[in-house]
Amino acid sequence: MLDLAIIGGGPAGLTAGLYATRGGLKNVVMFEKGMPGGQITQSSEIENYPGIKEMVTGLELMEPWPEQCMRFGLKHDMAEVTRVVKEGENFKVILAGGKEELAKNVIVCTGSTPKRAGFKGEDAFFGKGVSTCATCDGFFYKDKEVAVLGGGDTALEEALYLANICSKVYVIHRREAFRAAPSTTEKVRNHPKIELVLNSVVKEVYGDAMGVNGVLTEDKEGKERDLKVPGIFVFVGMNVNNDVLKQEDESFLCDVTDWGEVVVDLSMKTSVEGLFAAGDIRIEAPKQVVCASGDGATAALQVVARSH
Ligand code: FAD
Ligand code: NAP
């Protein structure tokens, strides 16, 4: 029987493991289907992790984490978890291949993944002008013009955030109406630094070895526009990685929002005793390494407290 099963080995999972084992829990396993480190390892530039003064790649940032986090006894099982189910007072953690582990507590740290829009150049220029994180990359475009793609709450809220940093923000949306909240839409429509490019799709993002040079859009009449921007932020929805919480009848093990984020309180407790969620998977996550890491510590301290 595990004292704690941690699912996911990004910043939240690794930090949870560090705090749980350093807090005295003996039998703690982190199930991570790949190498520990999480999605930040895909980033080529991070400069907002406190204490790391130089700009580093995500891989460089995360490289020392596993060694430090496993120093006090955390074990890594390189396995994919398919489902977590309640088994009396405990939890059954089911792995791909059918193996099962029993755990007294579970912290789910599987993150969330921004969707891609599918336009030409999106993958080629990802991280070189195409971004899915304004908090992470907005500052690189200080006093420059950028584009935002999408018409939901995330796109419009992030457009407003970028308008505080950039000289101009083009919001490209495939329809006339926005699905974002009316109050946010109103702010965007009236913002002097935001120009709406409506009924339009991104046909192509083009550039060279240095990165993006512009965005070609096409409206419903087939009219093209060439926006000479060095960056485009894509906000076309998120996949919350909550599959492990889905039960056989498609219900969720604990409360989740309509769009799949796990509902937690300030201690990262879910609606089920002994089950916690930390990092990008939880409601209102700021989706930053420092915050995911803090969530992991918070959840682990709760597990330590309920285990003694
Ligand atoms: P993740 O890092 O997503 O880790 C989840 C882990 O769970 C993954 O390793 C995954 O393999 C594993 N997993 C998922 N499902 C399963 C399963 N079923 N079984 C086993 N393992 C599973 N943040 C910043 O603070 N600053 C930045 O500059 C910044 N830039 C970014 C740039 C890019 C390109 C990206 C993609 C993100 C960036 N972020 C940045 C955001 C940051 O990476 C995330 O907020 C953070 O990684 C979230 O941590 P997490 O532990 O919640 O989840
Ligand atoms: P979302 O609501 O699904 O919006 C995605 C947007 O991207 C939509 O405008 C959609 O256009 C557009 N889109 C989708 N695929 C596209 C493609 N391939 N090419 C071009 N455009 C595309 O996603 P979200 O904004 O990330 O929000 C997710 C959920 O979180 C929502 O329920 C949202 O309300 C919630 N949320 C709430 C808040 C808040 O309350 N403050 C903040 C952020 C998010 P269409 O509109 O035409 O479909």
Side-chain angles (χ1 to χ4, degrees):
M1 168 82 73
L2 303 179
D3 290 321
L4 170 63
I6 297 166
I7 306 172
L14 283 163
T15 310
L18 170 64
Y19 274 72
T21 49
R22 200 165 175 275
L25 295 189
K26 292 279 174 267
N27 208 356
V28 183
V29 174
M30 182 182 77
F31 297 94
E32 164 55 61
K33 61 185 175 183
M35 292 305 289
Q39 60 170 297
I40 191 63
T41 55
Q42 297 161 27
S43 171
S44 51
E45 292 166 332
I46 165 159
E47 63 176 3
N48 59 4
Y49 193 79
I52 309 288
K53 284 189 289 177
E54 314 303 331
M55 191 189 303
V56 291
T57 66
L59 269 176
E60 286 166 341
L61 177 77
M62 297 311 293
E63 199 263 334
W65 287 46
E67 189 189 332
Q68 181 190 11
C69 295
M70 290 184 201
R71 192 180 291 162
F72 303 97
L74 172 68
K75 293 182 218 74
H76 171 207
D77 187 343
M78 199 186 275
E80 181 172 1
V81 173
T82 53
R83 186 172 294 156
V84 179
V85 295
K86 195 92 174 87
E87 181 110 323
E89 297 273 280
N90 303 309
F91 297 91
K92 190 162 72 180
V93 178
I94 305 168
L95 309 183
K99 199 179 149 204
E100 296 176 357
E101 294 273 7
L102 267 187
K104 290 182 192 159
N105 302 278
V106 173
I107 307 178
V108 182
C109 309
T110 44
S112 64
T113 318
K115 288 182 187 165
R116 299 272 169 111
F119 53 78
K120 191 172 165 199
E122 186 178 27
D123 291 341
F125 288 105
F126 195 84
K128 289 182 257 160
V130 177
S131 171
T132 51
C133 181
T135 320
C136 313
D137 299 331
F139 193 74
F140 300 130
Y141 303 99
K142 189 166 163 41
D143 299 327
K144 294 181 181 160
E145 298 193 352
V146 293
V148 162
L149 178 65
D153 280 305
T154 308
L156 297 204
E157 286 180 10
E158 298 307 291
L160 289 167
Y161 173 86
L162 287 165
N164 290 327
I165 303 169
C166 305
S167 56
K168 180 165 186 171
V169 181
Y170 296 94
V171 173
I172 306 162
H173 180 40
R174 61 189 179 186
R175 295 189 290 137
E176 188 78 34
F178 290 103
R179 69 172 67 228
S183 58
T184 311
T185 304
E186 185 75 5
K187 277 189 211 150
V188 165
R189 284 192 190 279
N190 294 328
H191 200 292
K193 281 161 84 180
I194 297 180
E195 181 180 333
L196 302 180
V197 183
L198 298 178
N199 298 311
S200 298
V201 293
V202 173
K203 218 177 151 194
E204 182 181 350
V205 164
Y206 61 89
D208 53 30
M210 299 300 288
V212 167
N213 293 326
V215 175
L216 268 187
T217 64
E218 186 177 47
D219 71 13
K220 282 184 175 159
E221 271 76 52
K223 203 167 143 226
E224 286 188 8
R225 207 170 151 190
D226 187 0
L227 307 173
K228 305 272 188 217
V229 292
I232 176 166
F233 290 83
V234 179
F235 301 115
V236 295
M238 299 292 294
N239 289 319
V240 183
N241 302 329
N242 58 21
D243 281 357
V244 300
L245 295 168
K246 271 195 199 134
Q247 306 298 286
E248 260 179 31
D249 63 1
E250 291 291 304
S251 67
F252 284 93
L253 177 59
C254 60
D255 291 349
V256 301
T257 62
D258 288 346
W259 52 92
E261 294 161 331
V262 179
V263 178
V264 291
D265 66 10
L266 288 176
S267 315
M268 305 302 138
K269 286 180 185 162
T270 69
S271 55
V272 174
E273 182 76 20
L275 179 68
F276 300 78
D280 283 10
I281 191 174
R282 67 141 166 112
I283 42 160
E284 290 169 34
K287 301 200 171 72
Q288 293 291 288
V289 173
V290 69
C291 305
S293 179
D295 282 3
T298 302
L301 289 172
Q302 289 297 320
V303 176
V304 169
R306 81 186 288 273
S307 304
H308 290 312

